[in-house]
């Protein structure tokens, strides 16, 4: 394939990486595997525009993006809109999309995996037309991100420390709000502390990422109004990968979810793939099955199909 790699020098692991050496190594690995590859190191405020320009070219088969979850989410949006393949280099803190794709989290090792891998079609979600690869959320998560963004940090450890402080702040002061929703023929108003809609249901893991990105369904989760102790219990259940067992959580799966916030505050926020955004009064979330082309490890799709067949046979 003809590929262009975009490496966000301001993203996570790349901040402490010799980017000249990394770009040189990436070009060597992809070219040795038979690809026409060009690597470009860009700053965080330039990376999206650079990817958009490249994806519009008629001679490009795909883009390879390296950076944090924000960079990868933006790259997925560009790839989806332009119908080109996406290669993910996980250089961020959480690397949730890379985990769902079962890619190595080492930025050097993943080069070989992508270069010798295969292209697979996976699902992508959208909220009022804006694509997301991980989740849309409001309530607890949005408040935590807003608190975290109020702290200053310059490293991965610093970000984790800020996230911990923000989580403690949310436990002490959890939000409550009303939402009207429609999903799978169910219409209901709920008073909640949290809403999350994920690109495919979350797996049984502490980081809340999808184990399979080809189920064709959104995960839809709400949590009833919580007091500090209830938030703490939910956090523990999430860390154990057992949040579905929490009595305050409602779980549904749907191809489409409509949300309406009847008492929306002017400064209310949501989070999409880690980015804090203004929350709109009405939000339509859709699952676009198999519309995103991604580069994965050779044989991953076949192994996933075999595992699903085994699970189905057991059930």
């Amino acid at each position: 394939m003809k590929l262009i790699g975009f490496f966000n020098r301001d993203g996570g692991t790349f901040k402490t990486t010799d980017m000249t050496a990394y770009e040189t190594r990436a070009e060597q690995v992809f070219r040795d595997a038979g690809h026409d590859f060009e690597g470009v190191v860009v700053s965080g405020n330039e990376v999206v525009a650079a990817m958009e320009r490249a994806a519009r070219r008629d001679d490009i088969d795909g883009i390879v993006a390296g950076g944090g979850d924000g960079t990868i989410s933006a790259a997925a949006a560009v790839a989806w809109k332009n119908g080109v393949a996406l290669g993910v280099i996980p250089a961020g803190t959480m690397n949730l999309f890379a985990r769902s794709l079962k890619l190595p989290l080492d930025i050097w090792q993943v080069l070989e995996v992508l270069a010798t891998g295969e292209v697979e079609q996976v699902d992508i979600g959208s909220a009022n037309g804006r694509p997301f690869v991980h989740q849309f959320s409001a309530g607890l998560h949005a408040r935590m991100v807003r608190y975290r963004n109020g702290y200053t940090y310059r490293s991965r450890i610093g970000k984790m420390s800020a996230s911990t402080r923000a989580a403690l702040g949310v436990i002490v002061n959890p939000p409550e709000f009303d939402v009207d929703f429609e999903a799978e023929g169910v219409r209901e108003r709920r008073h909640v502390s949290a809403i999350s809609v994920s690109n495919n249901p979350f797996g049984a893991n502490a980081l809340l990422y999808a184990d399979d990105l080809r189920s064709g369904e959104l995960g839809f989760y709400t949590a009833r109004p919580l007091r500090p102790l209830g938030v703490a219990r939910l956090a523990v259940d999430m860390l154990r990968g057992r949040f579905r067992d929490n009595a305050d959580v409602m779980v549904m799966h749907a191809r489409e979810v409509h949300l309406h916030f009847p008492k929306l505050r002017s400064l209310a926020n949501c989070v999409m793939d880690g980015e804090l955004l203004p929350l709109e009064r009405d939000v339509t979330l859709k699952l676009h099955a198999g519309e995103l082309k991604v580069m994965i490890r050779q044989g991953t799709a076949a192994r996933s199909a075999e595992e699903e067949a085994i699970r189905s046979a057991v059930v």
Side-chain angles (χ1 to χ4, degrees), residues 83-270:
V84 299
L86 171 66
V88 174
I89 295 177
T93 304
M94 307 302 287
N95 302 309
L96 299 170
F97 192 50
R99 293 175 190 271
S100 290
L101 295 175
K102 299 176 175 59
L103 292 172
L105 301 183
D106 181 273
I107 61 172
W108 300 90
Q109 182 185 358
V110 76
L111 293 173
E112 186 76 28
V113 170
L114 294 176
T116 60
E118 59 190 6
V119 174
E120 172 70 353
Q121 307 270 145
V122 300
D123 305 340
I124 186 170
S126 69
N128 287 351
R130 178 176 176 138
F132 63 91
V133 292
H134 180 228
Q135 73 167 335
F136 164 96
S137 60
L140 287 173
H141 186 210
R143 180 165 292 187
M144 189 188 78
V145 172
R146 180 163 60 85
Y147 285 174
R148 187 192 68 197
N149 289 352
Y151 300 124
T152 300
Y153 53 87
R154 294 186 174 85
S155 66
R156 178 174 181 175
I157 294 176
K159 184 176 181 180
M160 293 172 68
S161 175
S163 295
T164 300
R165 293 168 64 192
L168 292 174
V170 171
I171 289 175
V172 173
N173 184 31
E176 292 185 24
F177 55 97
D178 290 329
V179 60
D180 298 326
F181 73 84
E182 181 179 355
E184 294 298 297
V186 177
R187 293 185 180 183
E188 190 174 326
R189 171 169 291 190
R190 283 180 175 255
H191 192 59
V192 301
S193 280
I195 289 176
S196 179
V197 181
S198 59
N199 173 27
N200 283 254
F202 292 137
N205 55 74
L207 295 180
L208 298 185
Y209 60 87
D211 288 333
D212 181 9
L213 290 171
R214 299 176 300 157
S215 75
E217 293 182 313
L218 297 167
F220 177 37
Y221 312 93
T222 63
R224 291 187 297 194
L226 299 172
R227 297 293 178 264
L229 183 57
V231 180
R233 286 172 177 163
L234 177 58
V236 170
D237 286 339
M238 290 169 63
L239 290 172
R240 297 168 60 205
R242 300 184 62 180
F243 72 95
R244 292 175 181 81
D245 298 334
N246 188 290
D248 292 315
V249 174
M250 181 202 77
V251 180
M252 294 181 66
H253 297 166
R255 285 291 298 267
E256 192 167 316
V257 177
H258 300 271
L259 304 176
H260 172 72
F261 300 94
K263 301 176 183 178
L264 184 69
R265 295 182 296 106
S266 60
L267 299 179
N269 298 116
C270 67

